[in-house]
């Protein structure tokens, strides 16, 4: 998105801006507390103890990941203070942190063209969120958002079973742009 913005500012023509299940600003909103409780109760009623077990496992995994992340940040800070080199895994964690901070600070501007969004139909997020159909991009695309849904979630859309469908939809997008360019050049 930002590369297209910068190319556009340089006067370059952007034939296709295709985003692969990329979340824009305000792509989802959290439902009110009471609605989330009702969703959990409905899932408990339908899935019984399996839901509680799966939720408990997910919660434990999330907390362990957060603990590991925080311990890594402490070790990184200590190694930086001691001016010692970071092992590759901690160096990668530092880069992930810097990328996250840059993403949080990024303030996207309105894009003059159309955005083509290839969106995964399954969402990896938790219960109790209302996800925008266009993942937050419609407010930034002055020429609108063209939506293509692909099977899977953000990660599995690239797996062997889903990849041919993703590739076919992307091929359609590219061919549409090529057809337009040929008709204009004709």
């Amino acid at each position: 998105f930002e590369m297209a913005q910068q190319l556009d500012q340089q006067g370059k023509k952007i034939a296709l801006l295709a985003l692969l299940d990329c979340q824009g600003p305000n792509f989802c909103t959290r439902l009110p507390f009471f609605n989330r409780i009702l969703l959990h109760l409905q899932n408990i009623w339908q899935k019984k103890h399996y839901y509680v077990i799966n939720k408990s496992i997910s919660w434990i995994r999330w907390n362990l990941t957060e603990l590991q992340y925080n311990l890594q940040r402490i070790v990184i800070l200590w190694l930086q203070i001691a001016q010692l080199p970071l092992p590759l895994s901690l160096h990668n964690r530092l880069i992930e942190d810097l990328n996250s901070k840059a993403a949080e600070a990024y303030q996207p501007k309105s894009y003059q063209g159309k955005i083509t969004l290839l969106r995964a139909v399954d969402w990896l997020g938790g219960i109790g969120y209302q996800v925008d159909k266009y993942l937050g991009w419609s407010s930034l695309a002055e020429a609108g958002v063209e939506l293509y849904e692909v099977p899977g979630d953000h990660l599995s859309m690239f797996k062997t079973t889903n990849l041919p469908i993703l590739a076919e939809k992307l091929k359609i997008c590219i061919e549409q742009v090529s057809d337009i360019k040929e008709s204009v050049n004709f």
Side-chain angles (χ1 to χ4, degrees), residues 111-141:
Y111 179 67
Q112 292 181 0
K114 176 178 74 171
I115 294 175
T116 300
L117 176 63
L118 292 107
R119 179 185 174 192
V121 294
D122 299 326
W123 188 52
L124 289 174
I127 289 178
Y129 291 93
Q130 179 67 44
V131 180
D132 176 53
K133 178 179 180 179
Y134 299 106
L135 297 181
W137 293 108
S138 57
S139 63
L140 294 173

Side-chain angles (χ1 to χ4, degrees), residues 159-178:
K159 291 199 173 179
T160 308
T161 53
N162 298 328
L163 194 56
I165 298 165
L166 173 62
E168 182 59 34
K169 294 199 179 192
L170 189 54
K171 180 181 174 191
I172 291 167
C173 299
I174 293 168
E175 287 172 349
Q176 285 177 349
V177 172
S178 298

